[in-house]
Amino acid sequence: MNRAKQIVASMRLVNSILSTQHSITRCLHSQVTQYSHLSLYFSSSLSKQAYSYDFLNTHQKQFFSSKPNSLVELVLNNDWSEEVEQELQKSHPTQTHETVLYVLKKLDRNPEKALNFFNWVSDKNGFKASSTVYSLMLRVLGRKETMKEFWILVKKMSDEGYDMDEGTYNTLLGNFGKAKMTSDAVALTEFFSKMVKEGATDAIVKSVVEVIQESDWNDEVKKKLEDLKISLSENTLLRILRQLRAYPLKALRFFCWAADHHNYKHNAVTYNAIVRVLGREESVDKFWDMVKEMKSSGHEMDIDTYIKLARQFQRSKMMKDAVELYEFMMDGPYKPPIHDCSTLLRQISLCANPDLSLVFRVVKKYEATGHSLSKAVYDGIHRSLTSVGKFDEADKILETMKNAGYEPDNITYSQVVFGLCKAGRLEEACKTVDDMEKQGCTPDLKTWTILIQGHCMAGDVENALTCFTKMIEKNCEADADLLEVLVNGLCGNKRINSAYNLVVEMVDTAHLRPWQATYKNMIQNLLAEGKLEESLKLLRLMKKHNYPPFQDPFVQYISKFGTVHDAKEFLKALSVKEYPSSTAYLNVFLSFFKEGRHSEAQDLLYKCPHHIRNHNDILSLFGSLKRGTANA
């Protein structure tokens, strides 16, 4: 079916859903806030808060020079040669763990130069690589064109007694899978499994971990550790900390015990290992204490540790700690990637109630290190302001952004639409979408989805469908995300039939492939209303779209309310083959028995194919029923 017919059919469906309305015409009476030229200073009501906006001077830029960056530039800007090595030796005679990691991270898109630097620093500069450095190098080399070098390095790392960390293994395995490097993926899994097994059976590691885990930390635990008379190496200590990562405070106790009672001198590698373990909500205070101790001991947080902790804090919505970590690294020699500012701003904005003070702390620190604000950074500020309903202040940010040479785009307008919907100002959100087009910015699918979802969340499904109709008229095609939004909205308003019709129409007419979750949600809602036939049609569509069969709600429904014919139709819908698996039949029989519907189970058995009637498990099931009846 061509595109024009798809549009007509989809509009016909929506109009039928809207049949209870006299008209689908929208009347928007509220006026959206108009953008105007504003100064860089904000309203007095806002200036009384703990943050201010007067840092937004985009024309002022500071420049800083740092040793790690000069090292990176030397390697990046020159072909590798003896002259480069001599210059490296002359200008950077010694390298720390943190510096090597930083340089390798900066070279991660240039594996040849990264390997040259790694070989130079290891073979000619006397640097002793740690498991963290090896793991990073393996992530750099883990691509088709450098697999020979990758496996050479794996062997070297193993020969030196170092372990690949689990995060590196998972990253590499995922990359190998995407690149269809099956044999390398199998070999990597074998290597990692062997390494994990050896680490778990390491006598020292196993003994120490068992002592620490079996009880709370006390003098008895310390005495048992002393009685073990262990000899600690860097790799052994790292293995112990890795085994204790689920017990951060116990890991910290052991870390301190090793220094106080075992005369072990911690280095940058072990300090970074313990702060990784402590970087979680239940131990974050100890984390910051350890960061200060690490700094006072002359060591820095390495860039790999920072990246992992930043992700962990953001994933756990520990935004205050994520911001403090960003500030800490920006004040040090190993600064985060430039895109971390916009990433962090986005994560703050995604919180239910973004903390604006954190937003402006991030931006101030970003500017203080010499960066001018990019479009992505402006978007980050704007997103948080609109999310908390500060639309006047958001307009002022837009003016500042325009003055810096960045015009509003779909991202900008979508953020306004989201904020207005969140604030319940739906008419203004619709007006904003209209204004977009007047400004020459065509709303995209994401903008429409945000607008439609805002109406659905407010319970205004009628206008959500009106927006959907308008979107189709403008030749913007729906996707599975938007269908999910509409289905959830309709089902939430007890419009199950409408949701079902919409799903079927979008599959048949627009050739859309709904999410598995959309199918499951619809099937459960339909069965709750006794609509088995419609549910079976969706089950067949799921099968057509290669989703695994969603059996449980059907089995439960049919065993309680269905007939033998219903059971046969369900079993037929399960498989692309002539008959489904014996397990599927067994589940239906068991469910009938559970409901006490023995005669229906027996009738269904008689209508089953020969190989099912004579299957051992099914014969055993019905045999036990007969024995139970006879005994009764």
Side-chain angles (χ1 to χ4, degrees), residues 343-374:
T343 299
L344 184 51
L345 291 176
R346 175 173 177 76
Q347 291 302 316
I348 294 171
S349 73
L350 291 176
C351 296
N353 293 294
D355 186 339
L356 296 183
S357 67
L358 297 180
V359 171
F360 292 101
R361 278 173 60 181
V362 171
V363 178
K364 280 185 176 182
K365 185 60 66 175
Y366 180 79
E367 278 205 316
T369 53
H371 299 298
S372 58
L373 302 191
S374 64

Side-chain angles (χ1 to χ4, degrees), residues 232-246:
L232 279 179
S233 65
E234 179 185 293
N235 203 42
T236 298
L237 192 139
L238 294 179
R239 283 182 171 181
I240 292 170
L241 292 179
R242 196 175 297 123
Q243 292 291 322
L244 294 173
R245 62 186 178 275

Side-chain angles (χ1 to χ4, degrees), residues 402-583:
K402 289 179 186 178
N403 292 336
Y406 303 112
E407 288 299 318
D409 58 12
N410 267 295
I411 293 174
T412 313
Y413 285 110
S414 293
Q415 290 171 180
V416 176
V417 172
F418 173 79
L420 289 169
C421 288
K422 185 177 179 181
R425 296 160 64 173
L426 300 178
E427 291 182 350
E428 292 177 64
C430 292
K431 181 67 165 55
T432 300
V433 174
D434 292 337
D435 288 344
M436 284 180 68
E437 294 186 276
K438 294 176 184 177
Q439 298 296 325
C441 184
T442 303
D444 60 12
L445 178 59
K446 183 175 181 181
T447 306
W448 284 112
T449 300
I450 291 171
L451 181 64
I452 292 168
Q453 185 170 35
H455 282 82
C456 287
M457 292 181 70
D460 188 359
V461 180
E462 304 297 343
N463 275 321
L465 291 166
T466 300
C467 293
F468 180 54
T469 302
K470 188 174 181 179
M471 184 194 86
I472 293 171
E473 288 173 343
K474 294 182 179 296
N475 291 325
C476 185
E477 296 186 13
D479 67 356
D481 283 330
L482 178 53
L483 181 60
E484 171 86 350
V485 166
L486 284 166
V487 166
N488 287 339
L490 288 165
C491 290
N493 279 265
K494 307 300 181 185
R495 305 274 292 276
I496 311 302
N497 284 340
S498 298
Y500 167 76
N501 290 332
L502 181 62
V503 171
V504 173
E505 183 71 22
M506 295 306 292
V507 171
D508 291 346
T509 305
H511 307 296
L512 190 147
R513 183 176 187 261
W515 296 126
Q516 183 180 10
T518 304
Y519 276 125
K520 288 184 173 183
N521 183 25
M522 277 305 315
I523 287 171
Q524 288 172 323
N525 277 286
L526 287 167
L527 288 176
E529 294 199 348
K531 298 181 182 297
L532 179 62
E533 183 179 344
E534 292 85 347
S535 300
L536 286 172
K537 180 167 183 175
L538 293 186
L539 184 64
R540 295 184 188 100
L541 289 177
M542 285 188 78
K543 181 175 67 177
K544 179 181 176 182
H545 286 137
N546 297 318
Y547 289 123
F550 187 42
Q551 299 186 41
D552 289 348
F554 285 99
V555 173
Q556 294 168 14
Y557 177 85
I558 291 170
S559 66
K560 289 182 179 180
F561 312 110
T563 64
V564 173
H565 175 74
D566 293 334
K568 285 182 64 181
E569 288 298 306
F570 162 64
L571 290 164
K572 183 180 178 181
L574 281 181
S575 179
V576 293
K577 302 176 182 177
E578 188 176 356
Y579 301 108
S581 68
S582 59
T583 302

Side-chain angles (χ1 to χ4, degrees), residues 56 345 359-360 363 373 377-385 397:
L56 285 170
L345 291 176
V359 171
F360 292 101
V363 178
L373 302 191
V377 174
Y378 278 116
D379 282 338
I381 304 168
H382 184 255
R383 186 182 294 110
S384 287
L385 287 169
I397 287 291

Side-chain angles (χ1 to χ4, degrees), residues 134-334:
Y134 272 119
S135 289
L136 177 54
M137 260 319 294
L138 291 175
R139 294 200 297 274
V140 172
L141 295 175
R143 56 192 78 190
K144 281 185 177 180
E145 60 269 26
T146 51
M147 285 314 294
K148 179 181 177 182
E149 293 81 0
F150 172 86
W151 287 113
I152 290 172
L153 194 65
V154 167
K155 185 178 187 307
K156 183 177 180 182
M157 178 185 70
S158 181
D159 289 345
E160 292 183 10
Y162 291 112
D163 293 340
M164 178 192 298
D165 65 62
E166 187 174 359
T168 295
Y169 166 70
N170 290 330
T171 298
L172 289 169
L173 195 63
N175 292 342
F176 290 176
K178 290 176 185 176
K180 302 190 185 310
M181 298 160 59
T182 307
S183 59
D184 290 297
V186 171
L188 180 68
T189 298
E190 289 177 355
F191 167 79
F192 187 75
S193 299
K194 181 182 177 184
M195 183 204 76
V196 170
K197 186 176 180 181
E198 289 174 353
T201 57
D202 183 307
I204 295 175
V205 174
K206 189 175 181 180
S207 299
V208 170
V209 170
E210 285 178 354
V211 167
I212 294 172
Q213 284 183 340
E214 67 184 10
S215 63
D216 293 334
W217 189 271
N218 52 36
D219 290 339
E220 184 179 352
V221 170
K222 289 189 281 187
K223 184 178 185 308
K224 288 181 179 179
L225 289 175
E226 290 167 5
D227 291 343
L228 291 174
K229 301 187 185 305
I230 58 177
S231 176
L232 279 179
S233 65
E234 179 185 293
N235 203 42
T236 298
L237 192 139
L238 294 179
R239 283 182 171 181
I240 292 170
L241 292 179
R242 196 175 297 123
Q243 292 291 322
L244 294 173
R245 62 186 178 275
Y247 310 92
L249 296 181
K250 288 187 175 184
L252 175 61
R253 294 280 194 176
F254 170 74
F255 182 88
C256 296
W257 173 84
D260 295 340
H261 299 278
H262 209 69
N263 297 320
Y264 184 87
K265 185 172 178 58
H266 290 297
N267 57 23
V269 177
T270 56
Y271 269 115
N272 275 275
I274 188 62
V275 297
R276 289 190 194 195
V277 173
L278 294 173
R280 55 184 68 193
E281 195 165 5
E282 65 266 31
S283 53
V284 72
D285 290 341
K286 299 296 183 184
F287 163 81
W288 287 113
D289 289 342
M290 185 54 65
V291 168
K292 291 176 184 176
E293 180 182 321
M294 176 171 65
K295 187 84 173 174
S296 66
S297 299
H299 305 297
E300 301 284 349
M301 182 181 294
D302 67 54
I303 194 68
D304 203 47
T305 296
Y306 161 75
I307 290 171
K308 286 180 170 61
L309 288 169
R311 289 172 182 165
Q312 170 64 23
F313 288 165
Q314 291 171 30
R315 204 163 39 235
S316 303
K317 298 300 179 184
M318 299 166 61
M319 300 315 305
K320 180 174 179 293
D321 295 290
V323 170
E324 288 183 12
L325 181 66
Y326 179 78
E327 292 172 324
F328 173 80
M329 291 299 288
M330 289 291 276
D331 286 337
Y334 308 106

